[in-house]
């Protein structure tokens, strides 16, 4: 079984992802909403909810959050995705264009604390995730977040989701939504259950997945970063890959778990 992403010509995929012109005012409104959240303080509320849920014992300040988001994007999200799409024979840049046309706001928040619930769900359905746990834990910060994800995945599978036509122009694995739905149900029953990792992760991006694949792991990394802008900017200039001393230790390494590690809800 193949997908539209693999069989349809580029121009048709662009049209499908963009959707009708009547949908663009709503897309523009979602971008404006996201920018408004960047200017506000709602992300601090979300971070404190992480602590209240017991997922983390400490939360990063805004310098650590910014520097950590850049590190997560440049060390983990982009390299692992580019590697996967190269392996699949899919142009990574064109893939990002399709994602932008479907939902411009979906590319504007690598950490997810500034996004509304349905933007996180749309992102999960757009992209074959290296590890979905981070986003599932994000949805725990939103009312009925996992309920909404399960419902929308079911709608994607039966073709009734309002974005089914555009999202199906992006996703390249035909069974991705079913696999994700199956795991969401497993995760809701047991958040510690091993996540389905994308096929290019194990053995190639292990330390990065361990560090950034869950919210607790990522927040521990962020909290290890400099707290003030001069040192944070120096880190961005001087550090060009994941430093071992900042990475999550291997489960059998004998290292003491960082605070909150037993609550990470992922493979440990």
């Amino acid at each position: 079984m193949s997908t539209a992403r693999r069989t349809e010509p580029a121009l048709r995929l662009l049209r499908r992802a963009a959707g009708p012109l009547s949908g663009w005012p709503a897309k523009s409104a979602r971008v404006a909403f996201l920018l408004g959240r960047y200017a506000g303080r709602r992300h601090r509320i979300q971070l404190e909810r992480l602590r209240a849920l017991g997922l983390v014992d400490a939360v990063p300040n805004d310098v650590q959050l910014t520097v950590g988001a850049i590190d997560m994007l440049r060390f983990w999200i982009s390299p692992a995705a580019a590697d996967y799409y190269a392996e699949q024979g899919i142009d990574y840049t064109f893939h990002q264009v399709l994602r932008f046309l479907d939902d411009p706001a979906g590319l504007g928040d690598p950490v997810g604390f500034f996004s509304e619930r349905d933007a996180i769900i749309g992102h999960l359905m757009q992209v074959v995730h290296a590890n979905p746990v981070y986003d599932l834990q994000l949805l725990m910060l939103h009312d009925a977040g996992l309920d909404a994800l399960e419902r929308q995945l079911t709608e994607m599978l039966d073709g009734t989701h309002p974005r089914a036509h555009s999202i199906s122009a992006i996703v390249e694995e035909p069974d991705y939504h079913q696999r994700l739905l199956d795991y969401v149900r497993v995760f809701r029953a047991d958040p510690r259950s091993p996540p389905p990792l994308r096929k290019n992760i194990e053995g190639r991006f292990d330390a990065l997945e361990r560090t950034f694949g869950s919210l607790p792991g990522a927040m521990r990394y962020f909290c290890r970063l400099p707290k003030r802008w001069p040192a944070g900017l120096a880190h961005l200039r001087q550090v060009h890959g994941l430093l071992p001393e900042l990475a999550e230790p291997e489960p059998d390494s004998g290292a003491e778990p960082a605070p909150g590690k037993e609550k990470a809800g992922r493979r440990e």
Side-chain angles (χ1 to χ4, degrees):
M1 184 179 177
S2 193
T3 62
R5 177 66 182 85
R6 292 188 176 276
T7 59
E8 293 191 359
L11 185 57
R12 186 176 298 172
L13 291 173
L14 290 168
R15 288 172 176 164
R16 283 184 62 159
L21 288 175
S22 60
W24 276 87
K27 294 182 184 186
S28 300
R30 288 196 293 272
V31 172
F33 177 87
L34 176 62
L35 293 176
R37 282 201 165 175
Y38 271 111
R41 300 290 295 172
R42 181 176 170 80
H43 64 287
R44 301 307 314 175
I45 298 172
Q46 297 290 66
L47 286 166
E48 290 303 327
R49 287 195 69 188
L50 274 180
R51 200 199 314 251
L53 287 170
L55 285 169
V56 299
D57 289 338
V59 295
N61 68 15
D62 283 357
V63 174
Q64 293 170 318
L65 185 65
T66 302
V67 175
I70 294 171
D71 278 1
M72 188 163 70
L73 187 62
R74 65 182 177 144
F75 298 158
W76 163 237
I77 297 174
S78 290
D83 176 83
Y84 167 72
Y85 290 114
E87 192 176 76
Q88 297 293 307
I90 290 174
D91 184 275
Y92 181 50
T93 301
F94 184 64
H95 188 77
Q96 303 311 308
V97 171
L98 293 176
R99 288 186 58 206
F100 176 83
L101 291 174
D102 175 51
D103 184 18
L107 277 72
D109 181 12
V111 291
F113 293 118
F114 302 89
S115 297
E116 57 185 334
R117 183 195 72 184
D118 284 354
I120 298 168
I121 292 173
H123 166 68
L124 264 168
M125 294 195 300
Q126 266 189 344
V127 177
V128 176
H129 271 56
N131 179 349
V133 166
Y134 183 104
D135 294 86
L136 299 190
Q137 291 169 333
L138 265 182
L139 286 172
M140 292 169 63
L141 303 179
H142 296 263
D143 293 338
L146 294 175
D147 286 337
L149 173 60
E150 188 169 342
R151 183 184 69 252
Q152 291 191 41
L153 282 168
T154 301
E155 292 170 351
M156 274 298 302
L157 289 166
D158 65 25
T160 61
H161 193 279
R163 286 171 60 190
H165 190 67
S166 58
I167 288 175
S168 63
I170 302 169
V171 174
E172 62 283 345
E173 294 190 15
D175 60 345
Y176 170 65
H177 293 122
Q178 183 63 62
R179 294 199 322 263
L180 181 56
L181 177 59
D182 291 343
Y183 180 66
V184 170
R185 290 168 175 165
V186 169
F187 178 86
R188 297 187 74 177
D190 179 10
R192 286 180 162 274
S193 56
L197 299 185
R198 196 169 57 207
K199 61 186 70 174
N200 72 316
I201 297 304
E202 290 190 272
R204 298 163 77 175
F205 295 95
D206 292 341
L208 288 157
E209 185 273 325
R210 216 167 40 242
T211 302
F212 296 116
S214 72
L215 260 176
M219 293 305 102
R220 283 191 292 270
Y221 176 89
F222 287 17
C223 286
R224 295 173 188 135
L225 294 172
K227 294 183 176 181
R228 298 184 181 275
W229 277 116
L233 292 173
H235 169 93
L236 292 175
R237 287 194 307 269
Q238 298 166 9
V239 176
H240 304 291
L242 181 65
L243 298 176
E245 61 268 28
L246 297 181
E248 287 289 285
E250 295 186 50
D252 58 353
S253 67
E256 286 295 316
K261 192 172 184 65
E262 72 281 357
K263 301 171 184 175
R266 63 180 301 281
R267 295 183 308 133
E268 295 176 338

